[in-house]
Amino acid sequence: MKEVFDEVVNVLSRGEKAALSTIVSSKGSLPMSKKAKMLVKGDGSFTGTVGGGCLEADVWAEAREVMDRSAPRLQHFILTEKHAGDEGLNCGGNVEIFTEPIRTGPMQEIFEAIRGLHDARGIGLLATLVSSRAGTEAGKMLLTDTGETVGTLGDPALDDRIRLDSDLEITENLLRVVTLEHEGVETRIFLESIWPAPQLFLFGGGHVARAIARIADTVGFRIIVVDDRPAFANHERFPEADEVVVDAFDEVVGKLPIDGSSYLVAVTRGHQWDQPVIEQAVWTDAAYIGMIGSRRKIALMWKNLEEKGVPRHLLEQVHAPIGKEIGADTPEEIAVSIMAELVEFRRSGGKPAHLVSTVKDAAGTR
């Protein structure tokens, strides 16, 4: 989704016509992510996807009309075989898609603020007015975790209703349509979280780490490779890496920008290097910590770390041995098993409580 938001900013800076289509509600089986977005530009090219197939073709055509008439529209699709994705599957779900024209002014300020949040690894809540009894209208507001409010839903009372909703938690997978009664008018507002991309810290630059990096790049992780050998931690060896760090394993963790959306994976060349990584990692805010190795060696390491004062409950949070049980043997197969576990952890909502914000936190009212 970051790619789509960034391209919106680029389109606005160039003064081009475009329209943004967003899945705002869905039921049943879908051929796409529920957080799907597609930006259609004036030349017909697009960024992102709402699932492919005939559905995407219909949404693309609608986006072309919306950008020309400069009025948003909410559409409902029942997904038959005709609307199936590229695999030709009859998903049987139904979906609402909101398409809005991209234009300069307040909207540009909001999307630039979203880009700033992504760059700063901040958290936010984006609210979009998608319909009311009088018809579909424009309106968009961003609440950031620093207390900033950018934009408006078009009515201060609606802005306050969203801003002061203390029961709404901002989590990575937040997608919700809320229906509010205001001055006798029923209004639907689509809420979605703005969340930092998950970042994967790979400790070790060997064959398994190389294979992990290739897969992690395709599923949206920001990748940081750490090794104490320059020959193993470099962009030639890891072209997918956003950063490479050359430093000693026994002192590097505290220097890294680890936050609650960070995944730490120890795949060094031996347990004597894994141990100092884990000893430091368990005290961080990382969402996930994992280590490769046999159960016997892990048990011995845990014993050593407990003797050094690391509490057992912190060690029990480490995923070791890392990876799904798929009978993996080669570095590439091991990488598949590890990344499958990371994706499962992420999509199941596995994150510590310290990363959960509320609307009140974002609005700075606490």
Side-chain angles (χ1 to χ4, degrees), residues 41-42 44 46 132 192 201 233 279 343:
K41 290 169 271 191
F46 60 91
S132 69
E192 57 185 311
F201 290 87
E279 184 177 357
V343 170

Side-chain angles (χ1 to χ4, degrees), residues 88-116:
L89 301 177
N90 183 357
C91 298
N94 60 77
V95 61
E96 281 187 306
I97 296 180
F98 182 66
T99 301
E100 57 188 317
I102 298 301
R103 48 198 171 205
T104 57
M107 179 177 285
Q108 183 167 1
E109 185 182 4
I110 289 171
F111 282 105
E112 287 177 349
I114 291 173
R115 172 181 277 184

Side-chain angles (χ1 to χ4, degrees), residues 192-209:
E192 57 185 311
S193 59
I194 304 299
W195 202 261
Q199 54 183 359
L200 173 61
F201 290 87
L202 285 173
F203 294 91
H207 297 301
V208 172

Side-chain angles (χ1 to χ4, degrees), residues 202 204-217 223 225 231-232 234 236-240 267 331-332 335:
L202 285 173
H207 297 301
V208 172
R210 286 185 69 188
I212 292 173
R214 288 194 289 270
I215 301 174
D217 181 55
I223 302 165
V225 177
F232 285 80
N234 59 71
E236 288 72 27
R237 184 171 174 81
F238 288 92
E240 307 87 357
V267 284
E332 291 76 16

Side-chain angles (χ1 to χ4, degrees), residues 139-161:
K140 195 179 289 286
M141 179 177 68
L142 174 69
L143 305 175
T144 76
D145 57 350
T146 60
E148 181 183 9
T149 300
V150 183
T152 176
L153 294 171
D155 187 318
L158 287 177
D159 295 348
D160 288 342
R161 292 277 295 275

Side-chain angles (χ1 to χ4, degrees), residues 219-237:
V219 294
F221 279 78
R222 184 175 185 274
I223 302 165
I224 302 94
V225 177
V226 182
D227 203 296
D228 56 355
R229 303 163 295 176
F232 285 80
N234 59 71
H235 285 290
E236 288 72 27
R237 184 171 174 81

Side-chain angles (χ1 to χ4, degrees), residues 282-283 302 306 309-318:
V282 294
W283 300 101
W302 273 205
E306 284 187 278
V310 178
R312 184 73 184 187
H313 74 273
L314 292 182
L315 295 173
E316 289 174 350
Q317 296 177 18
V318 178

